[in-house]
Amino acid sequence: MDKKLELLRKLGEEKIVAVIRAESEEQGFKIVDAVKKGGIKFLEVTLTVPGAIDIIKELATRYKREEVYIGAGTVLDPETARAAILAGAGYIVSPSFNPDVMIMCNRYRVPIMPGAQTIKEIVACLEMGADVIKIFPGDAYSPNIIKSFKGPLPQGQFMPTGGVSLSNVRNWLAAGAYAVGTGSNLTAGAKTGDFDAVTEEARKFVAEVAKYK
């Protein structure tokens, strides 16, 4: 199967992306390892992490033969998108709609997940070939927004990010989300160096998603 289509198919099966934010490169690697140990396979390293491109490059090599999918998040411009893609990012996530980022990703045939908040923005994303649309920030809405968006745009695939927690993840999926992205609610333990807590939280998220499946 086509590599891009296979990744999107797998995302639709796994239904959860870990959004990795960290204060240092070392902490970033520890969070990634903890989340992976907990069973989450889609790992989005945000470009706000110091040395993010180097982390992506290392992870892409480290997990090359494993069923782990490394992506780049908080991508704001096409130059950064290209750098991340060349470093080995398998997908690109952006907090907003940027047509130049979309063009760059489509040029390399890499899945692009731009952020949007309104029907107008979602339509613009679809017209530029968005594969999955990130509803961001998700905590600005309730899960019912998925049904509202899918009313006029049933062809849209949506991934709420921001505010997705253990208490509401199944509500988002039941409302029709293609997948969910979770960050601070998943990795809070890292702030105190408790990476075992991050692993345990990841396991809980995987279990909650599995109940929905």
Side-chain angles (χ1 to χ4, degrees):
M1 180 182 288
D2 178 275
K3 186 177 180 180
K4 175 178 177 176
L5 295 180
E6 174 61 19
L7 186 146
L8 292 169
R9 182 192 68 78
K10 194 64 182 180
L11 176 60
E13 288 182 357
E14 295 295 321
K15 296 189 178 301
I16 184 167
V17 177
V19 181
I20 311 298
R21 296 191 185 278
E23 297 176 359
S24 68
E25 190 170 330
E26 179 184 7
Q27 187 189 51
F29 276 116
K30 288 181 178 179
I31 293 173
V32 166
D33 289 340
V35 170
K36 177 182 176 292
K37 187 177 179 181
I40 296 179
K41 298 177 181 179
F42 278 81
L43 309 172
E44 175 195 326
V45 179
T46 67
L47 270 296
T48 56
V49 179
I53 295 296
D54 292 333
I55 293 174
I56 290 169
K57 187 174 183 179
E58 168 63 25
L59 293 175
T61 300
R62 182 186 302 180
Y63 298 133
K64 187 174 184 179
R65 289 180 171 79
E66 295 186 44
E67 197 177 40
V68 176
Y69 305 88
I70 307 300
T74 320
V75 176
L76 303 179
D77 52 64
E79 294 82 6
T80 306
R82 183 174 186 273
I85 291 168
L86 295 180
Y91 55 97
I92 299 295
V93 185
S94 177
S96 61
F97 169 67
N98 183 318
D100 292 329
V101 171
M102 305 280 291
I103 290 170
M104 181 64 69
C105 292
N106 288 331
R107 180 179 299 154
Y108 283 92
R109 195 159 172 72
V110 169
I112 171 64
M113 306 173 196
Q117 284 189 312
T118 66
I119 288 291
K120 183 177 181 179
E121 291 175 346
I122 292 168
V123 170
C125 290
L126 291 172
E127 289 176 345
M128 290 297 296
D131 299 294
V132 177
I133 297 167
K134 173 181 175 178
I135 298 177
F136 181 77
D139 51 9
Y141 304 98
S142 76
N144 289 332
I145 195 64
I146 300 282
K147 292 180 180 179
S148 295
F149 285 154
K150 277 187 167 289
L153 300 171
Q155 71 273 30
Q157 303 285 20
F158 300 100
M159 181 177 73
T161 304
V164 176
S165 65
L166 286 170
S167 64
N168 64 28
V169 61
R170 279 195 286 164
N171 293 335
W172 281 109
L173 293 173
Y178 187 73
V180 298
T182 182
S184 59
N185 284 304
L186 168 66
T187 64
K191 292 182 179 180
T192 59
D194 190 352
F195 296 99
D196 287 338
V198 175
T199 296
E200 182 59 27
E201 204 70 7
R203 286 179 178 144
K204 290 178 181 178
F205 266 101
V206 171
E208 281 299 304
V209 172
K211 290 176 185 177
Y212 173 76
K213 295 178 185 179

